[in-house]
Amino acid sequence: MSPTFYPLASLSQIEKTPSRADGIPDDLEEDLRANGCKLIHEAGILLKQKQVAVATAQILFQRFWYVSSMKTFGIGDVGMGALYLASKLEECPLRIRDLINVYDLLSQRAAHSIGPKSSAEFKYAPMSYFGNTFYDIKDAIVVHEMQLLKRLGFNVQVVLPYGTLINYLRLLGLMSREDASTRAWGYLNDALQTPVYALYQIPTIVCAAIYLTTRHLQIILPSEPPHCWWELFDADWEDLWSVCGYIMRLYQERSEHERLRVVGMISKKGVRSWLEEHPSEL
Amino acid sequence: MSDSVAGPSTPSRKRSKWQLSDDDELQQLTINPAKRRVKTKHGKEPAVTVPAPPKNIPVARNSLHSVYVPPRTRHPPIIPSRSVYCYERLNQIEEGSYGVVFRAKDKQTGDIVALKKLKLDEEKNGFPITALREVNALMTCRHQNVVGIREVVVGDTLTQVFVVMDFIEHDLKSLLTLMPSPFLQSEIKTLMLQLLSAVKHCHANWILHRDLKTSNLLMNNRGTIMVADFGLARRYGDPVGVGGMTQLVVTLWYRAPEILLGAEKYSTAVDMWSVGCIFAELLLKEPLFQAKNDLELISMIFKLLGPPTNNSWPEYSSLPLAKTITLPSPQPHQFRQKFQYMTTAGIDLLMSMLAYDPAQRISAEEALEHPYFTESPLPKHPDLFGSFPSAAAGEKKRKVFDSPSAPARAADFKLLTEFDMI
């Protein structure tokens, strides 16, 4: 079987993403991307969706922001559009009604967490039967699914890293260590909240997950030239190290202000408001 | 003290990964990665830290990329769809339930292409999963004998989506109808090798075509055939998906017996049955099983192959619709009578493709190694195939003039020549 040539961002797209061109700083864009992926993940759990579909949605979501700006599209709408599209790609299509209800729940929960009564217990208020909310959300999901396809050039091929991880762990003799495989698997899942799957090839990302695992669990593997274990898998040290950086940045402590700032930007309206308040960032 | 592993928010600017060739990459042997430290907004170190990386790690490998990890430059960039107005419409080729197909010209390159407009007008559930399968299957199965998808372009509205494919002059069905005599054995071998190569590639990439038939096999004027119309294609294996696999697949005449008898699970063998039917059609110059309905088709299959037995199809009795059919009395197959001029190897290959039991049916990979393709006459080189006028390109068939009759009598001929010489 020939290797699958899934799309990866070009150097020019990486150096200046459309969001950065619109004045959104690097760290904020990265946090918004991570928040969008968390939203997809939460929706996937509530919908009892397969993990492969959720992972595919997160990767498509990350790719999208290399060709579109967060000023033009809301991360919530794109996230749900990605989840809907991925459910079809992975042959486990979601009922749009279920997705609408879950998106409404998550939107209300986000609004509550930044609202004046955020300390009070959150209570979900179901949509009004005669209101337009249902149809507005439905239109948003369908339109954003189409926007994802259109802006990704319909090239929505995704290769997930889990099979590669199992092969690599087996080759490195680490399959017997459950703590190692569990931790490496966890790093790959966490990496879905970062842009690495749109930037690097799967072997590099898998090697980064194994590298972090071996450092944390103090497992010794050949790491001195000319016998570096990652070279066995055609991984490049510089890139491996960069992927580790992306993953580790997820675990930085965020202040309450930073956390709420991101939650308030699920829609493009929130992003635009922030840009108006911070003209100096442009 | 250990440094935090938190690289910059963009990948390193190391040129080799993005711009240099493999050879350039090999020259850069070592690098000292600078210690990196990421500060948070409050100037604190990140909470989670890992030890610093080892020094003097070689960046490039002393060998070229393995086939499993091609260079990053081989991956396509993330590019949005272009506008359909990048193409100039020439003529309509055909219209089906799936949409319309146009012949068009790329304004930039001048290439002639086929534009297939997808039907999306009344979609209540977003982009149709069937159209998604088709586009994805075409993008996955890039091969010299699979019609090439160039891109997907969009019109003014979100419902105008066109798949841009290579324009191929003919389809095999039309050719078989128009040809005065059938393909030669050497030509059939070439066509079958190409078809099997395409099917093998699709199956290797976990794609079932599910609609193989002569009208879905396109042929250019250089003897190359290409599998087209992936409208019913889908991934097989895991996950099968909600509701399992549909039984409403494959055009009736090319439908495998397990689908006819309601099998809930089927695999690559359904495509191989269709390949067998196509093989027979190339030999006979007409479809093998021209049935009007499922029952008639089953009886035609039973007549040619003989009714299934426990030996030829152990799972037959467990199929949902098997109980509704009364099996005729056992009788031998009729292959030799039907294909009188075929060699023993040819009959064997055809029978292997049309085996009742999907588990016993030959795979595309095995079929390519069959002795039929190495016995005389050997496959003809595609370049040596004759060319035909293309209906899709609007070419007209040259009018056949009656050849003049020979003179009735020699005396008349003499008169004519004498007259001419005056």
Side-chain angles (χ1 to χ4, degrees), chain B residues 202-221:
Chain B
C202 291
H203 292 173
N205 284 284
W206 301 93
I207 299 287
L208 288 182
H209 187 282
R210 305 199 301 181
D211 197 17
L212 290 171
K213 53 182 175 179
T214 47
S215 56
N216 284 344
L217 299 180
L218 306 180
M219 183 173 165
N220 64 19
N221 281 324

Side-chain angles (χ1 to χ4, degrees), chain B residues 119-279:
Chain B
K119 265 208 170 114
L120 307 176
D121 305 327
E122 292 160 31
E123 267 310 317
K124 294 176 183 70
N125 297 316
F127 198 78
I129 193 166
T130 48
L132 210 48
R133 282 173 183 162
E134 177 171 10
V135 172
N136 236 8
L138 282 166
M139 284 187 168
T140 305
C141 295
R142 294 190 186 275
H143 184 266
Q144 65 268 30
N145 298 117
V146 174
V147 70
I149 181 170
R150 289 170 174 236
E151 59 179 325
V152 181
V153 293
V154 289
D156 297 323
T157 66
L158 287 178
T159 57
Q160 292 178 324
V161 178
F162 302 81
V163 180
V164 184
M165 292 176 285
D166 297 332
F167 173 73
I168 316 292
E169 292 87 348
H170 317 280
D171 71 85
L172 218 48
K173 177 82 178 163
S174 308
L175 278 186
L176 286 167
T177 312
L178 294 169
M179 283 168 69
S181 54
F183 283 111
L184 302 171
Q185 275 293 328
S186 59
E187 292 172 334
I188 290 172
K189 285 183 184 182
T190 303
L191 297 175
M192 286 304 296
L193 281 170
Q194 292 179 71
L195 173 57
L196 287 165
S197 177
V199 173
K200 175 191 167 183
H201 181 75
C202 291
H203 292 173
N205 284 284
W206 301 93
I207 299 287
L208 288 182
H209 187 282
R210 305 199 301 181
D211 197 17
L212 290 171
K213 53 182 175 179
T214 47
S215 56
N216 284 344
L217 299 180
L218 306 180
M219 183 173 165
N220 64 19
N221 281 324
R222 291 168 301 287
T224 304
I225 64 162
M226 297 191 193
V227 176
D229 199 346
F230 280 69
L232 283 178
R234 68 165 286 172
R235 250 181 19 212
Y236 69 96
D238 188 38
V240 165
V242 179
M245 310 269 270
T246 179
Q247 269 115 47
L248 281 170
V249 289
V250 191
T251 306
L252 184 64
W253 296 350
Y254 304 85
R255 201 175 290 168
E258 62 267 31
I259 300 173
L260 290 167
L261 295 169
E264 280 155 25
K265 284 182 183 170
Y266 53 81
S267 189
T268 53
V270 300
D271 281 343
M272 288 312 296
W273 177 276
S274 303
V275 170
C277 293
I278 291 165
F279 185 18

Side-chain angles (χ1 to χ4, degrees), chain A residues 30 33 62 66 191-200 246, chain B residues 9:
Chain A
E30 219 168 296
R33 281 169 175 259
Q62 289 286 358
Y66 285 107
L192 290 164
Q193 292 178 33
T194 75
V196 296
Y197 290 95
L199 299 175
Y200 298 104
Y246 274 109
Chain B
S9 60

Side-chain angles (χ1 to χ4, degrees), chain A residues 119-131:
Chain A
S119 54
E121 191 190 346
F122 167 68
K123 280 195 175 71
Y124 173 58
M127 278 176 269
S128 157
Y129 188 77
F130 297 104

Side-chain angles (χ1 to χ4, degrees), chain B residues 41 48 51 82 98 121 132 140 192 194 232 245 261 289 319 334 337 355 380 383 405 411:
Chain B
K41 280 267 157 76
V48 182
R82 293 198 301 162
Y98 48 80
D121 305 327
L132 210 48
T140 305
M192 286 304 296
Q194 292 179 71
L232 283 178
M245 310 269 270
L261 295 169
F289 302 118
L319 289 167
Q334 306 284 306
Q337 292 90 310
K380 184 189 257 189
D383 290 350
S405 310

Side-chain angles (χ1 to χ4, degrees), chain B residues 35 43 67 76 80 93 100 184-185 188 249 302 329 355 362:
Chain B
K35 287 191 178 182
V67 290
I93 300 171
V100 195
L184 302 171
Q185 275 293 328
I188 290 172
V249 289
F302 285 178
S329 55
I362 197 167

Side-chain angles (χ1 to χ4, degrees), chain A residues 6-9 13 27 50 84 88 90-91 145 150 157 199-201 215-216 225 234 238-239 241 244-246 248, chain B residues 5 7 9 11-12 17 33 41 50-53 56 66 70 72 75-76 78 81 125 127 133 140 204 235 239 241:
Chain A
Y6 43 90
L8 294 173
Q13 286 170 327
D27 62 333
K50 291 185 180 180
Y84 191 45
K88 293 175 187 177
E90 294 301 331
E91 298 292 349
E145 177 197 35
K150 187 177 156 182
Q157 284 180 292
L199 299 175
Y200 298 104
Q201 290 167 286
R215 300 307 292 255
H216 276 286
D234 284 282
E238 274 272 296
D239 291 345
W241 186 237
C244 290
Y246 274 109
M248 296 312 290
Chain B
V5 180
S9 60
S12 64
K17 199 68 186 166
K41 280 267 157 76
V50 295
N56 298 316
S66 83
R72 191 195 191 279
H75 288 266
I78 302 165
S81 292
N125 297 316
F127 198 78
R133 282 173 183 162
T140 305
R235 250 181 19 212

